[in-house]
Amino acid sequence: MEVFTGTIIEEDELFSNLDDYVSLKLDAILVLGGGVPSSPKDPPTYVKRRCDVVAALMNAFQERNNWSIPSVLCLSAGTAHLPQYITPHNGLPLWESTASAAYLMQHPTYPVPEKYMFVETTSFDTISNAFFTRSSFTDINGWRRLLVVSNEFHIHRTKAIFDWIFSVPATKGGPSTNYELFYLSCNNVGLSNEAVEARRSHEKRGEMNVVGNLARQYTNLNSVLEFMTTKHDFYAANKLVRQSLGDGNGEKRSGNLLKLSYGQKSSRDVSSQSSLRQFLDGKIVVSLYSLVLVVFIVMGLYFSRRRYEQHNKYS
């Protein structure tokens, strides 16, 4: 079976014709992130689905093509409109790509050897996923045949963005690229039907903006970088400074359902955690006061007894 560049492969189709797809001789598999992890090795459920499919695919490559096994690049530093997961042992943010890589390397059925694993830790949305993948990895490593992996609700905007970023020359008038991109659409799991529809609607608007506006206006990597550093909410210095100072003017606000689909905790969860934290903080304070009081009582009893013994000794 011939697979053409730009094809969107459905998950079920992949496993029905695994031998055909393993014969693609890919250079790299790109696993998109897309939400706040729940632990250092637990990305959101729908991202786990992407990883599960990639783990099985990598196992098939290793069984059939030991001479041609692709690298796996996990994408995304974080989701910029949501707080990042902070690792408890060092207080540092956990990159979404790190959680995906940890899940793949410790996969319960098909662990991926670490020698095939890479992480991209600069991007905060799908446009920057594509830009930094190309500028930091594929252009440099010579990876040209790529499989881009996401879920069904996200795959069409992903394709529009990656087709755009990977087709433009590096500079105006520069040589054309020779990338071959294939897309893998994983089943939607871990989200309610309402959340999936919210995501589809959001992604469709983004896809239309890419195809009808951005791809026509920014036609080389230099101009894409200019767009990102002057107009992009997550990379333009003036926008980032205003956000850091709490100036919400012009800030895009997503609906609660959409934010929950990216891994944001509900207000009830946040309130419960806050109450628990305050309770525990209060217990700690009370415990410290109690400890100090006990120490003073013990010291008072000790010195009172010493004085009593000395009095009896000389009386």
Side-chain angles (χ1 to χ4, degrees), residues 126-136 165 221 224-225 228:
T126 311
I127 292 177
S128 52
N129 282 165
F131 181 85
F132 289 113
T133 294
R134 180 176 169 185
S135 61
S136 299
I165 297 296
L221 279 190
V224 174
L225 179 61
M228 292 177 62

Side-chain angles (χ1 to χ4, degrees), residues 55-125:
L57 182 57
M58 283 294 290
N59 180 69
F61 270 108
Q62 293 175 81
E63 287 182 342
R64 296 165 172 81
N65 278 335
N66 283 328
W67 53 273
S68 180
I69 300 174
S71 300
V72 177
L73 176 62
C74 297
L75 309 183
S76 184
T79 301
H81 55 268
L82 293 178
Q84 288 187 263
Y85 179 95
I86 302 300
T87 49
H89 65 281
N90 60 16
L92 297 176
L94 173 71
W95 309 130
E96 291 179 3
S97 56
T98 304
S100 296
Y103 182 77
L104 280 164
M105 292 166 63
Q106 301 176 30
H107 194 271
T109 308
Y110 304 116
V112 179
E114 63 181 48
K115 65 180 179 180
Y116 299 120
M117 295 300 308
F118 295 83
V119 292
E120 178 275 315
T121 58
T122 316
S123 62
F124 286 90
D125 72 342

Side-chain angles (χ1 to χ4, degrees), residues 87-248:
T87 49
H89 65 281
N90 60 16
L92 297 176
L94 173 71
W95 309 130
E96 291 179 3
S97 56
T98 304
S100 296
Y103 182 77
L104 280 164
M105 292 166 63
Q106 301 176 30
H107 194 271
T109 308
Y110 304 116
V112 179
E114 63 181 48
K115 65 180 179 180
Y116 299 120
M117 295 300 308
F118 295 83
V119 292
E120 178 275 315
T121 58
T122 316
S123 62
F124 286 90
D125 72 342
T126 311
I127 292 177
S128 52
N129 282 165
F131 181 85
F132 289 113
T133 294
R134 180 176 169 185
S135 61
S136 299
F137 289 91
T138 61
D139 275 7
I140 295 170
N141 290 334
W143 298 341
R144 291 298 180 267
R145 291 175 64 86
L146 310 173
L147 179 66
V148 185
V149 183
S150 192
N151 297 95
E152 179 275 333
F153 62 75
H154 184 230
I155 198 67
H156 294 284
R157 184 167 75 96
T158 296
K159 183 180 186 306
I161 289 171
F162 275 75
D163 283 353
W164 163 40
I165 297 296
F166 280 80
S167 66
V168 299
T171 58
K172 185 177 181 179
S176 60
T177 64
N178 58 344
Y179 281 103
E180 296 179 76
L181 272 61
F182 308 89
Y183 297 89
L184 176 55
S185 174
C186 298
N187 296 335
N188 299 326
V189 297
L191 294 176
S192 67
N193 292 334
E194 294 81 3
V196 169
E197 288 306 316
R199 288 294 292 269
R200 282 181 178 144
S201 177
H202 170 75
E203 302 297 342
K204 185 62 178 178
R205 290 193 299 272
E207 178 189 355
M208 293 173 63
N209 183 46
V210 170
V211 174
N213 179 27
L214 298 179
R216 296 181 180 183
Q217 187 174 355
Y218 304 103
T219 56
N220 57 72
L221 279 190
N222 277 352
S223 63
V224 174
L225 179 61
E226 180 182 359
F227 157 72
M228 292 177 62
T229 54
T230 59
K231 298 182 179 181
H232 196 295
D233 287 343
F234 306 155
Y235 294 95
N238 60 337
K239 293 176 179 288
L240 290 170
V241 168
R242 285 201 297 270
Q243 291 176 29
S244 71
L245 297 175
D247 180 1

Side-chain angles (χ1 to χ4, degrees), residues 286-302:
V286 171
S287 297
L288 287 175
Y289 278 122
S290 300
L291 178 61
V292 171
L293 181 60
V294 169
V295 169
F296 275 111
I297 291 174
V298 171
M299 290 177 64
L301 291 173
Y302 172 76

